[in-house]
Amino acid sequence: MSGRLIWFQFESIDAETRFVREYLPNAWERFEASDFFETGWFWRYGQYIEYDAGPDGGIYINVEGDLDRLVEAEAPRWNAFEGLTDWTVNQPQADGDSLLAQQRDSKGEVAGEWDYRLKPLVTRFVLEYSQKFTEPLPLLTDDAPTAKTK
């Protein structure tokens, strides 16, 4: 099964945030309950805007499974989501690499395996976090105060 990417663009960071809070939690449950989704994760670039540390927003979802069926099931919701300006599906890589193979290729055998296993867990954590908290997690920086132990 080859890994594919869906790229979402929004009219504002607020719309992108709403997508994560309002659309993705229920969508992820639908994905995981379906027979056309094997695994996947998403990445939100809008989280970096206030830190000037990345692209100007957007979300991508990496999917392993039958992407055509996922798109067929979800495109009406995407098209109706207020503030979503565009979504596109990338073409499969010529070699048809799975997400696991892509992670191993970019990070090495062991790190790629761990990354592949951890990203879906991180996705579930982020979606749960977005439902319970409105403030973002702070960035850890070199000048962050150190924890004191007793």
Side-chain angles (χ1 to χ4, degrees), residues 6-34:
I6 310 166
W7 176 248
F8 298 89
Q9 295 173 294
F10 301 87
E11 66 185 20
S12 68
I13 294 302
D14 288 340
E16 181 179 302
T17 301
R18 276 189 315 94
F19 190 81
V20 171
R21 291 180 192 273
E22 296 174 10
Y23 167 75
L24 276 179
N26 292 331
W28 217 263
E29 287 181 17
R30 285 191 303 275
F31 297 170
E32 290 180 332
S34 75

Side-chain angles (χ1 to χ4, degrees), residues 21-118:
R21 291 180 192 273
E22 296 174 10
Y23 167 75
L24 276 179
N26 292 331
W28 217 263
E29 287 181 17
R30 285 191 303 275
F31 297 170
E32 290 180 332
S34 75
D35 63 350
F36 52 76
F37 180 87
E38 290 185 26
T39 192
W41 52 82
F42 79 93
W43 192 258
R44 179 177 178 241
Y45 284 104
Q47 66 186 324
Y48 298 112
I49 294 294
E50 67 183 275
Y51 306 105
D52 292 327
D56 292 335
I59 292 174
Y60 76 76
I61 298 177
N62 260 337
V63 174
E64 195 153 75
D66 187 337
L67 188 63
D68 292 335
R69 288 180 57 206
L70 186 145
V71 169
E72 182 181 329
E74 295 296 317
R77 291 178 179 93
W78 301 337
N79 293 334
F81 192 88
E82 186 177 339
L84 176 62
T85 59
D86 192 27
W87 60 270
T88 55
V89 177
N90 79 331
Q91 295 302 312
Q93 295 183 351
D95 55 12
D97 274 352
S98 69
L99 292 178
L100 176 57
Q102 292 172 26
Q103 297 307 301
R104 285 177 173 160
D105 186 49
S106 66
K107 296 170 181 80
E109 190 72 24
V110 174
E113 171 84 24
W114 276 97
D115 204 40
Y116 175 80
R117 292 169 54 198
L118 289 173

